[in-house]
Amino acid sequence: MNTWNDIDHLEKRLKASIVNLNKKKLPSPTLVEAIDDEGIWPGNFEDFANWVPPRANVETLLRRAPLVLCAAATEIGFRYEGVGTVFWARLSDTLGMDITLHQRQRIADEFKSLALRYKLAEPPRTAFSQHFSLIAWPISQGLLPIDLIDPVMRMLSAAPVSALPAPGRTANFTSLRAWSGAAEGIRLTDWLRVEEPAERVLNALLYDNRGSSLSVIAYRRIADRIALSNDAPAGLRRAKARVKGAKAAESTSQSFGRLTVVAAGGAARLFVSWPALSVSLYEEGRVQARAKGWRPQLWGAGPFLHPDNALGGGPFALCMAQCPSVETPAYANAGDVFGAGKEITLALAARTIDWTSLLLFDADDGGQTGEQRFSPFSAPSGKIFIGVKIGGASIEGLRTIGRSCGYDFLEGDLSRPEDVAALRRAGAWTEKTVTLCSRHPTDAIGAPPSVIRPGRPFVVFNLGGGDNLPLPQAAEKPGLIKANGIGHLRCEVQEIADPGLVTVTVSEREQAFDAFIECRLELRFESSLPLRELSVKAVLTVGDRLLAVGRASLAALPATVDASSELFAPLRDDRVRGLLLAAGQGNLNLLIGNTVITALPLQRTAALVIWNENGQPEISAQSTSSKLVVSDARQPHLFREVEAIASPKEGVLAYGLQLPDRGIVDPIRIFVPDRFSFGDLAADFGTDISRRLFDGGAGSADLARAKINWSRAVGDGLMALGVKERIVRQFDGPLTERLCGKSWLLKEEQTQSEAVDPHNALWRLILRDGLAELPDELDQADADLFLGHFRRHASMLDPDWPRNTDVPQDGMMDEALNRTFTDSYTALQEKGLFRNIEIDFDFGWETEKWNNIAAEAMRVTRRVGLARMIAPSDGGRQLSKRSYDVGLVDLAEDLAAWTKQHALPRGQMDSDMATSCLHLWLTPSACNDPMPALKILASDPFVSRAIRYAALRYRANVSGVRHE
């Protein structure tokens, strides 16, 4: 037990140690360094409570030994996670005394006073330090808190090696913070903001404290804690190996984007392009991004990007109101999506822009577009653009063209002496000879500045040197290239980028003829480039005869085009489809501009069964043996052998031919009696549930095959068509029970009322909460009129809800209600109804109310009860939160990516198989070969649930769209 004299002695030693660090001119020293510089504690800090004087309290320590008290708080900040409830409880237990809320504030104030007096490190002014303002001080004095050791090791082993400190070179903290923001998080980023202590720690760890960046005791404190971690020692070894082989002259691995400015209509717009990722990295990232429904915004502003575009090289339109900090990542949540330290995460974290005070651009011949340049102007003529950061030095004499991304953009003409003088004053003009490198066009477009590819020619020349240009040269091996006057040129090898400009995926390629005739054909246009305003043409021919041409403009890629699109409008004409039916085959060519990007053959599927004029089935392959079978509508999954076809006097029968492998040949034929009751159509699938594929007609494959057979059945008249549709729907329950389980089926039935799309659900809540009211005398058709108009206006005014955000744009839903009631009552008055109502509506509900009911609408439509029954739980949450306002092809690819991320190997599937699974639930007649998909669904019930969940959400969304 120590006396107060001992505490006073410790106080003096601490003070002397801090003063000594100040005399050494150590920048921003920390209390931990002062403690360890002299070995202040007489033993381990854990024994501190045993030598605090008896009857000591916080007030006495604050008055008599504030440094000792702050040192004890710093030790807690070093050891434990930066959360207030944990920190103060630990400090109270260590001291053996209670600490009131008022005393917590006094301790923080004492830290601030000591920092001002002794120039100690201060916590960064960030959201964390503001939220945890009291404990931010002792944490900042902890040098390297234990909870940051693993993140720092991951940073050292994965961050750009050129950003790490090296002999003769300080750390590039801007780059490290940018990497941390994308790959690790706010805690590490905040630690990197206090640069001087962080620099000492990084140097000590990477170079074994050579040069004594830290005292021996301070270094051993951190090294001992690293040894106790499972992963940190290996990470430190990798980091040391990286910096050992790195050269100080090695260029930064940051991938600076090249800007383009477009000046038109009195405004300026900025676009950025980055070098394309390799094919392997692009595809790897694309799978993960689609599995998680990733839709990023660059620097948190502008349009939400589809992952196929976001991972491409651009160009991307920039829409920030202010110029972002260099350390702010362009892809803010890449680490959460792809994993910290992954190659794709690092590649995206490296994407940045050199936001200098002046941005220089060479204008094209038309004077509308400028390409960024990285050296001062020197040409004798030509139009130029220059961007001046708002708040920086202005340039007088040039003409303003607009403002964008925190820059004022000006234009000038190099043939005008006054413009050249203005550029010279701004430092954007040089009289020196400028050396340039002219690269191969492929490198100029796809490679970073100063990088060439092996074997491709380039020319290094002096601007203004006349017509005597040197001969082109080429580098055969990777490495640095000596070029006088231009700095460092590098030859780097890169995997060839995806050569395909636009690809087209067809949802039912094998049944394209039937899908086209039945108006359900769906196309998916995709590209790794963010192409916009594409003119697409669909040309339908039969032999040498042109039947129809459809045209459409796609706003952006990727895009889904379904049968209702204007692209197919001329092709949907009954005359056109009649001619195609008569011919039995044709060709559908899809063109972008005048280039054919895909040719889709349309060929009627050869029927294996032909029903002759006498109503008897004949199998087209004569060598194939078969037997006549019949199925009853009461048990449509069972087919039994019969001798001959007999027209039913009651009930509904379906006859067909069965092959030796138990498969029923399409199409079967439905026979409907003149009179029947709905009870005759009530199917009974039995109570025995089997997950086996084949089990005497009760297996999952038996039911699936029978469902497909009935969906493709033929019959006479509309009655047969209605019977077929009713029977096919009844297969869903038992098939769901076999593939997803009884508990899933019960939960699905319980949440049936939630099976609506978000706009439909929002409309219900609007009426429920009284945000709008409909007249009592409206019939259902007129009430649906209001819903249809609301869906249309809400989708048009706020296209991001619910696809990209849970919160609607402020004021848009009020305006959607105004237009809904105006259009609906106008239509009703044209029918002679509600003539006494004045058409003047002005809804204006508070934003919080709209946000609440929009969130509730999303919760309802997400059918959370079902999503919770999908494993893993993270995969279920992702499925519940993603948007289903997509095409079937896009959804299938997302689900395929989901299985690769979350399913066991036996449950993983490709996009074609995922399409087949979706067809089984949505359009069974389009499900060509269900067996491969069924084997996966039967072996992994959680994949079955995921597919079924997606199909339910997609069906609700499509039903809502068609409702309009």
Side-chain angles (χ1 to χ4, degrees):
M1 186 70 65
N2 290 281
T3 64
W4 277 109
N5 288 333
D6 296 324
I7 297 297
D8 292 339
H9 181 63
L10 282 175
E11 181 78 6
K12 292 178 182 178
R13 290 182 63 193
L14 272 171
K15 182 178 180 179
S17 181
I18 296 176
V19 170
N20 184 49
L21 293 178
N22 286 159
K23 288 181 179 179
K24 293 179 181 178
K25 296 184 178 180
L26 187 72
S28 299
T30 61
L31 273 181
V32 159
E33 291 173 287
I35 293 168
D36 294 339
D37 192 47
E38 297 276 343
I40 295 299
W41 305 124
N44 293 328
F45 171 72
E46 285 77 4
D47 300 329
F48 181 72
N50 296 327
W51 44 272
V52 174
R55 292 183 298 279
N57 55 51
V58 174
E59 293 294 333
T60 306
L61 286 173
L62 279 169
R63 183 181 65 258
R64 189 165 180 174
L67 274 173
V68 173
L69 178 58
C70 289
T74 297
E75 291 284 3
I76 301 299
F78 170 77
R79 280 164 171 74
Y80 300 107
E81 184 180 356
V83 179
T85 54
V86 175
F87 177 88
W88 293 111
R90 296 284 188 181
L91 181 59
S92 179
D93 292 343
T94 299
L95 298 176
M97 55 187 73
D98 294 331
I99 304 176
T100 65
L101 293 176
H102 174 68
Q103 290 169 341
R104 295 178 186 180
Q105 182 63 58
R106 289 192 59 193
I107 293 173
D109 292 340
E110 188 63 38
F111 267 108
K112 187 174 182 179
S113 175
L114 292 172
L116 293 174
R117 189 183 313 160
Y118 299 113
K119 301 178 182 179
L120 299 179
E122 297 184 16
R125 292 179 175 87
T126 62
F128 177 85
S129 62
Q130 291 176 358
H131 187 72
F132 298 102
S133 58
L134 300 183
I135 66 172
W137 281 99
I139 289 175
S140 68
Q141 299 301 313
L143 193 61
L144 178 60
I146 291 175
D147 68 316
L148 283 176
I149 285 179
D150 284 342
V152 168
M153 295 303 104
R154 289 194 293 268
M155 179 187 71
L156 292 177
S157 61
V161 69
S162 59
L164 301 179
R169 185 185 70 197
T170 60
N172 185 342
F173 282 97
T174 298
S175 178
L176 292 179
R177 286 192 291 267
W179 182 92
S180 172
E184 285 291 340
I186 190 65
R187 282 282 283 123
L188 179 58
T189 305
D190 282 354
W191 182 78
L192 291 168
R193 294 184 191 279
V194 189
E195 296 184 0
E196 292 85 356
E199 179 93 29
R200 294 195 290 273
V201 170
L202 297 181
N203 270 307
L205 294 176
L206 289 173
Y207 305 104
D208 298 317
N209 205 30
R210 289 195 294 271
S212 300
S213 300
L214 302 176
S215 69
V216 175
I217 298 177
Y219 176 66
R220 290 309 323 161
R221 169 198 288 263
I222 298 174
D224 290 344
R225 293 293 180 173
I226 291 175
L228 296 176
S229 171
N230 292 328
D231 301 323
L236 184 57
R237 287 194 297 270
R238 287 195 299 269
K240 290 179 178 179
R242 294 178 72 212
V243 299
K244 185 178 181 180
K247 297 179 181 179
E250 190 173 349
S251 64
T252 179
S253 60
Q254 282 183 315
S255 180
F256 285 109
R258 174 158 289 193
L259 296 171
T260 302
V261 62
V262 177
R269 296 191 64 196
L270 269 186
F271 297 82
V272 62
S273 299
W274 282 290
L277 303 175
S278 65
V279 174
S280 57
L281 195 59
Y282 174 83
E283 289 299 332
E284 176 189 350
R286 184 169 174 266
V287 169
Q288 297 180 61
R290 300 195 72 148
K292 297 187 177 183
W294 185 53
R295 296 293 189 275
Q297 292 175 292
L298 291 182
W299 285 283
F304 291 88
L305 300 175
H306 191 280
D308 292 3
N309 288 344
L311 296 174
F316 302 102
L318 300 181
C319 304
M320 299 87 70
Q322 301 294 330
C323 172
S325 170
V326 176
E327 61 201 47
T328 302
Y331 299 84
N333 60 342
D336 297 334
V337 176
F338 303 104
K342 300 297 184 182
E343 186 178 1
I344 182 66
T345 304
L346 303 182
L348 296 179
R351 285 185 169 183
T352 186
I353 292 176
D354 192 8
W355 297 110
T356 55
S357 58
L358 295 179
L359 300 176
L360 309 181
F361 300 87
D362 292 313
D364 61 3
D365 294 338
Q368 299 294 317
T369 302
E371 295 290 337
Q372 188 179 14
R373 61 179 293 149
F374 300 96
S375 59
F377 298 110
S378 61
S381 63
K383 191 173 181 180
I384 58 96
F385 297 117
I386 184 168
V388 182
K389 187 176 290 187
I390 298 173
S394 61
I395 300 180
E396 301 294 337
L398 301 184
R399 292 154 298 286
T400 302
I401 59 174
R403 175 175 287 188
S404 179
C405 302
Y407 283 82
D408 286 321
F409 285 90
L410 315 170
E411 67 175 353
D413 191 336
L414 298 182
S415 62
R416 293 166 51 114
E418 56 270 31
D419 288 1
V420 173
L423 295 174
R424 184 182 289 110
R425 290 193 299 269
W429 177 268
T430 180
E431 306 291 347
K432 297 180 180 179
T433 301
V434 177
T435 303
L436 300 176
C437 176
S438 179
R439 299 180 291 166
H440 188 280
T442 303
D443 294 346
I445 295 173
S450 302
V451 171
I452 62 172
R453 302 303 185 198
R456 295 207 183 112
F458 65 95
V459 178
V460 177
F461 63 97
N462 292 330
L463 190 65
D467 298 330
N468 298 322
L469 293 178
L471 294 176
Q473 55 182 313
E476 300 299 331
K477 296 181 180 179
L480 291 177
I481 301 172
K482 293 182 179 179
N484 293 331
I486 200 170
H488 291 290
L489 282 176
R490 300 191 312 281
C491 180
E492 294 181 358
V493 178
Q494 185 184 38
E495 187 177 343
I496 299 176
D498 185 3
L501 181 63
V502 178
T503 59
V504 180
T505 307
V506 185
S507 61
E508 300 178 50
R509 186 171 290 273
E510 298 300 325
Q511 293 83 33
F513 182 92
D514 295 334
F516 181 85
I517 294 298
E518 298 174 13
C519 295
R520 66 167 191 267
L521 186 64
E522 183 177 290
L523 308 175
R524 178 72 175 172
F525 293 82
E526 296 179 338
S527 175
S528 59
L529 301 176
L531 303 178
R532 294 182 177 275
E533 302 302 332
L534 255 65
S535 176
V536 181
K537 188 161 53 176
V539 179
L540 179 64
T541 60
V542 171
D544 296 331
R545 183 181 179 186
L546 177 64
L547 295 187
V549 178
R551 293 179 174 83
S553 178
L554 304 182
L557 293 189
T560 299
V561 175
D562 60 22
S564 62
S565 168
E566 61 178 336
L567 179 66
F568 291 131
L571 284 65
R572 289 196 301 268
D573 184 80
D574 290 342
R575 180 191 64 83
V576 174
R577 289 190 294 155
L579 292 173
L580 181 62
L581 271 173
Q585 61 181 0
N587 285 286
L588 179 62
N589 293 325
L590 300 171
L591 299 85
I592 291 182
N594 294 318
T595 303
V596 177
I597 57 173
T598 190
L600 180 64
L602 303 177
Q603 178 69 53
R604 177 189 283 123
T605 305
L608 292 177
V609 173
I610 300 174
W611 291 86
N612 59 31
E613 296 178 354
N614 299 323
Q616 298 297 319
E618 296 177 359
I619 197 161
S620 59
Q622 296 298 331
S623 60
T624 303
S625 61
S626 60
K627 57 185 179 182
L628 184 66
V629 292
V630 66
S631 178
D632 186 350
R634 292 177 180 271
Q635 292 183 307
H637 60 301
L638 300 178
F639 288 84
R640 61 184 184 277
E641 185 176 356
V642 292
E643 295 294 333
I645 294 176
S647 297
K649 295 182 179 180
E650 59 181 15
V652 175
L653 299 178
Y655 289 90
L657 295 178
Q658 187 177 50
L659 299 177
D661 66 352
R662 294 179 296 181
I664 309 298
V665 186
D666 290 322
I668 63 176
R669 190 172 187 85
I670 298 176
F671 290 84
V672 181
D674 295 334
R675 299 182 63 183
F676 65 91
S677 65
F678 283 109
D680 294 333
L681 304 181
D684 180 10
F685 294 90
T687 57
D688 295 333
I689 303 302
S690 173
R691 286 189 58 84
R692 298 175 59 186
L693 289 174
F694 298 101
D695 194 0
S700 55
D702 293 323
L703 290 180
R705 279 184 166 183
K707 179 181 181 181
I708 294 170
N709 291 141
W710 278 89
S711 68
R712 296 175 178 172
V714 296
D716 297 328
L718 293 177
M719 188 67 71
L721 180 62
V723 166
K724 178 177 72 172
E725 291 180 352
R726 183 180 180 87
I727 291 175
V728 169
R729 286 199 302 268
Q730 294 182 79
F731 275 93
D732 280 5
L735 188 56
T736 300
E737 187 172 0
R738 282 158 177 78
L739 293 177
C740 303
K742 181 70 172 180
S743 59
W744 173 276
L745 180 62
L746 293 175
K747 180 63 70 174
E748 185 178 311
E749 293 171 348
Q750 292 171 5
T751 59
Q752 184 61 37
S753 61
E754 302 173 1
V756 293
D757 72 288
H759 286 102
N760 193 323
L762 183 60
W763 179 251
R764 290 185 183 180
L765 294 172
I766 288 172
L767 299 181
R768 186 201 70 180
D769 292 0
L771 274 69
E773 294 183 0
L774 300 181
D776 295 334
E777 57 268 30
L778 279 183
D779 58 22
Q780 187 60 48
D782 291 336
D784 290 343
L785 178 67
F786 282 81
L787 171 58
H789 283 143
F790 176 74
R791 285 186 49 83
R792 178 166 59 86
H793 289 304
S795 300
M796 179 181 64
L797 292 170
D798 191 0
D800 285 334
W801 189 88
R803 179 190 291 254
N804 297 314
T805 177
D806 289 352
V807 178
Q809 187 177 346
D810 190 19
M812 289 300 101
M813 291 303 165
D814 284 319
E815 181 59 25
L817 279 181
N818 294 338
R819 298 185 184 185
T820 294
F821 276 75
T822 298
D823 291 353
S824 299
Y825 275 109
T826 298
L828 292 173
Q829 288 180 358
E830 290 176 355
K831 296 166 57 176
L833 303 175
F834 304 105
R835 293 286 181 86
N836 60 328
I837 292 181
E838 182 179 353
I839 301 180
D840 183 17
F841 301 97
D842 185 14
F843 291 91
W845 293 94
E846 59 272 17
T847 300
E848 183 179 359
K849 181 67 173 178
W850 277 117
N851 291 348
N852 290 338
I853 68 168
E856 186 176 353
M858 294 301 299
R859 183 193 61 77
V860 169
T861 57
R862 283 170 176 167
R863 303 183 78 167
V864 178
L866 288 179
R868 288 173 179 165
M869 300 180 70
I870 300 173
S873 56
D874 181 51
R877 284 192 296 270
Q878 289 173 9
L879 286 176
S880 69
K881 293 179 180 179
R882 72 167 61 244
S883 170
Y884 290 85
D885 184 19
V886 296
L888 185 68
V889 177
D890 205 23
L891 177 60
E893 190 157 354
D894 287 347
L895 286 174
W898 185 92
T899 63
K900 291 179 174 62
Q901 284 287 108
H902 298 289
L904 297 173
R906 69 185 183 189
Q908 296 178 9
M909 60 179 68
D910 57 24
S911 57
D912 289 340
M913 200 171 295
T915 302
S916 181
C917 294
L918 289 171
H919 278 318
L920 182 62
W921 297 118
L922 300 171
T923 318
S925 60
C927 192
N928 188 34
D929 184 10
M931 286 310 301
L934 282 168
K935 289 178 181 178
I936 291 180
L937 298 182
S939 62
D940 194 327
F942 293 116
V943 172
S944 296
R945 293 178 177 184
I947 297 291
R948 176 65 178 170
Y949 177 85
L952 291 171
R953 293 283 304 277
Y954 179 81
R955 179 188 292 167
N957 190 76
V958 172
S959 299
V961 172
R962 290 177 179 170
H963 189 285
E964 182 183 344

